[in-house]
């Protein structure tokens, strides 16, 4: 699974390396990557992460090397003409604004802030990072960013900013807002937590779901009561394997708002048991395999036990995108496609679109 880029930022800074962090803050047209995409440029010119590849990254790398010497931030505005696109061999077109900020290990307050972010990610706890967007901010400036934990505790400062006034829409991972200081904007972003799949059932479909989901950045916890099926030999992509009765599994799991519960067990009764417990969690996605007839039978049984229609409308069932999938491999593709669609951020037009 791709490592959160802020973990890499802290690792490089704590090892004494100077870097430039480049992030997309605005865009228009069909650009290669969306707002929020980031990459790191090291002192040696090495690129970690991606903002779209091609000519865009090449120019950013060159500018970043100059900024390491100048020690100041820069808003890099790309206005790609048809000639630019043709000359660079790029298909995607449009305009994009990137914010390039040199980060130096000597700025201990800033390094400490990124250490806090790293720990939040490790603890799977959300937070919001606010970055001051302005040309010419020095690498040693201590008033360039604020990190806000979910309980309201703050780290860092930005002149004129009251962290209590930061309100990021729950469905929008990024925003760009005006600050009281008219010379600067504020880029507000949720710290992305690793999306976690809790895969109930270790059958054939789950094999291919685990393989495909791992390739696109999901961490995977596999749950089944059969050790001959739920093991590392069959599921090398699983980050964790829990061999237990489905009824007892939820007591051992930490299912949060970035969790995806996939119900792909070997029978109706097991599916019902898992769904019954899953509905009591904060999972952002609950999906259950099977026909509409099977689904309706399970739903009726749960409603007889007190669950409401609103409860059951949260469930994606039959699971997966409707692509007429038949084989286990095809079904897995449809399921992972639906997970990607669910995970994708809601497009926000205000400020972020040029």
């Amino acid at each position: 699974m791709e490592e959160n880029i802020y973990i890499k930022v802290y690792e490089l800074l704590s090892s004494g390396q100077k870097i430039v962090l480049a992030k997309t803050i605005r865009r228009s047209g069909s650009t290669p990557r969306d707002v929020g995409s980031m990459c790191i440029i090291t002192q040696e010119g090495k690129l970690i992460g991606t903002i779209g590849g091609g000519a865009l990254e090449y120019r950013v790398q060159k500018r970043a090397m100059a900024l390491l010497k100048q020690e100041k931030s820069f808003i890099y505005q790309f206005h790609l003409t048809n000639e630019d696109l043709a000359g660079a061999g790029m298909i995607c077109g449009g305009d994009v604004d990137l914010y390039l900020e040199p980060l130096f290990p000597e700025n201990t307050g800033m390094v400490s802030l990124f250490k806090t972010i790293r720990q939040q990610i490790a603890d799977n706890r959300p937070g919001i990072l606010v970055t001051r967007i302005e040309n010419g901010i020095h690498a040693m400036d201590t008033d360039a960013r604020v990190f806000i934990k979910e309980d309201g505790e703050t780290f860092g400062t930005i002149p004129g900013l009251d962290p209590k006034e930061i309100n990021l829409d729950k469905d929008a991972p990024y925003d760009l807002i005006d600050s009281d200081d008219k010379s600067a904007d504020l880029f507000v972003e949720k710290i992305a937590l690793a999306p976690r799949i809790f895969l109930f059932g270790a059958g054939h479909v789950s094999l291919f779901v685990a393989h495909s989901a791992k390739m696109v950045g999901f961490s995977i916890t596999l749950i089944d009561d059969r050790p001959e099926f739920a093991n590392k030999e069959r599921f090398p992509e699983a980050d964790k394997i829990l061999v237990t009765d489905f009824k007892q599994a939820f007591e051992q799991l930490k299912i949060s708002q970035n969790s995806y519960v996939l119900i792909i067990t070997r029978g109706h009764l097991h599916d019902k048991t898992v769904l019954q417990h899953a509905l009591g969690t904060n999972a952002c996605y609950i999906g259950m395999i099977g026909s509409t007839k099977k689904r309706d039978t399970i739903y009726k049984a749960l409603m007889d036990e007190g669950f409401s229609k609103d409860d059951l409308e949260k469930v994606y069932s039959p699971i997966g995108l409707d692509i007429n999938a038949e084989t286990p491999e095809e079904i897995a593709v449809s399921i992972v496609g639906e997970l990607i669609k669910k995970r994708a951020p809601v497009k926000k037009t205000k400020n972020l679109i040029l």
Side-chain angles (χ1 to χ4, degrees):
M1 183 174 59
E2 183 178 342
E3 185 178 48
N4 187 295
I5 199 163
Y6 285 119
I7 294 177
K8 197 63 181 178
V9 165
Y10 174 71
E11 289 177 351
L12 291 169
L13 291 172
S14 62
S15 68
Q17 297 189 54
K18 296 180 179 180
I19 62 173
V20 170
L21 179 63
K23 66 177 69 174
T24 305
I25 59 172
R26 293 189 187 94
R27 59 95 181 165
S28 69
S30 181
T31 53
R33 295 292 303 273
D34 208 344
V35 170
S37 59
M38 288 180 271
C39 70
I40 298 168
I41 301 92
T42 68
Q43 289 175 267
E44 296 77 27
K46 179 182 177 183
L47 195 78
I48 301 170
T50 181
I51 49 173
L56 183 64
E57 283 185 355
Y58 174 73
R59 295 180 195 176
V60 167
Q61 281 178 287
K62 290 187 66 177
R63 177 58 66 118
M65 299 309 291
L67 292 177
L68 284 171
K69 297 178 181 178
Q70 297 166 9
E71 304 182 355
K72 293 181 179 180
S73 64
F74 182 67
I75 302 171
Y76 207 168
Q77 297 178 316
F78 288 88
H79 304 287
L80 300 173
T81 65
N82 291 334
E83 290 76 13
D84 291 328
L85 298 173
M90 294 175 65
I91 297 174
C92 298
D95 297 339
V96 60
D97 286 1
L98 294 130
Y99 187 58
L100 278 60
E101 49 181 337
L103 305 177
F104 288 6
E106 293 82 4
N107 189 336
T108 55
M110 177 266 295
V111 175
S112 178
L113 182 145
F114 282 114
K115 182 179 181 180
T116 299
I117 293 176
R118 184 201 63 168
Q119 190 58 51
Q120 284 288 105
I121 295 169
D123 293 340
N124 197 42
R125 304 189 70 87
I128 292 176
L129 177 63
V130 185
T131 303
R132 193 168 122 224
I133 305 297
E134 185 178 359
N135 282 316
I137 297 178
H138 196 275
M140 294 302 294
D141 194 314
T142 57
D143 296 324
R145 57 192 62 80
V146 171
F147 180 64
I148 309 168
K149 286 187 174 182
E150 58 182 337
D151 62 3
E153 185 180 4
T154 61
F155 300 82
T157 57
I158 292 177
L161 173 66
D162 181 357
K164 295 179 181 178
E165 296 179 357
I166 297 297
N167 183 22
L168 189 59
D169 186 286
K170 67 173 184 169
D171 293 323
Y174 311 104
D175 198 5
L176 189 64
I177 60 178
D178 294 330
S179 68
D180 291 335
D181 179 356
K182 299 304 181 183
S183 65
D185 291 332
L186 299 176
F187 188 73
V188 185
E189 59 186 295
K190 291 179 182 175
I191 297 302
L193 301 177
R196 297 185 172 188
I197 288 176
F198 293 89
L199 182 55
F200 287 85
H204 292 305
V205 172
S206 292
L207 279 173
F208 298 108
V209 168
H211 179 69
S212 301
K214 192 69 173 182
M215 286 195 300
V216 294
F218 289 89
S219 70
I220 299 164
T221 297
L222 176 71
I223 306 100
D224 201 293
D225 57 355
R226 302 167 295 172
E228 66 273 22
F229 283 84
N231 55 67
K232 201 65 176 175
E233 288 70 32
R234 293 189 75 235
F235 287 88
E237 296 90 358
D239 298 277
K240 181 179 179 181
I241 297 176
L242 183 61
V243 180
T244 186
D245 185 275
F246 291 123
K247 291 182 180 179
Q248 301 172 354
F250 284 84
E251 299 174 1
Q252 305 173 58
L253 302 174
K254 293 182 179 180
I255 296 177
S256 62
Q257 293 178 351
N258 63 311
S259 299
Y260 298 69
V261 175
L262 309 187
I263 306 170
I264 315 177
T265 77
R266 63 187 182 277
H268 291 35
L269 292 179
H270 292 309
D271 287 346
K272 175 179 174 292
T273 296
V274 175
L275 180 56
Q276 181 177 359
H277 286 83
L279 288 170
T281 71
N282 292 323
C284 68
Y285 175 96
I286 300 172
M288 183 175 69
I289 201 167
S291 65
T292 54
K293 181 179 179 180
K294 166 193 162 180
R295 176 200 66 193
D296 293 344
T297 299
I298 292 175
Y299 282 8
K300 183 179 184 305
L302 290 175
M303 290 180 73
D304 289 343
E305 295 177 12
F307 286 92
S308 69
K309 184 178 179 181
D310 287 343
D311 293 330
L312 298 172
E313 284 181 347
K314 303 173 186 176
V315 183
Y316 291 74
S317 185
I319 195 172
L321 299 175
D322 185 4
I323 58 172
N324 297 321
E326 294 186 3
T327 68
E329 295 91 337
E330 291 173 346
I331 293 169
V333 169
S334 76
I335 292 172
V336 175
E338 188 166 78
L339 300 183
I340 293 171
K341 183 178 180 180
K342 177 65 178 178
R343 180 181 63 179
V346 174
K347 303 295 184 184
K348 184 176 174 65
T349 57
K350 179 185 176 182
N351 296 332
L352 302 179
I353 310 300
L354 294 171

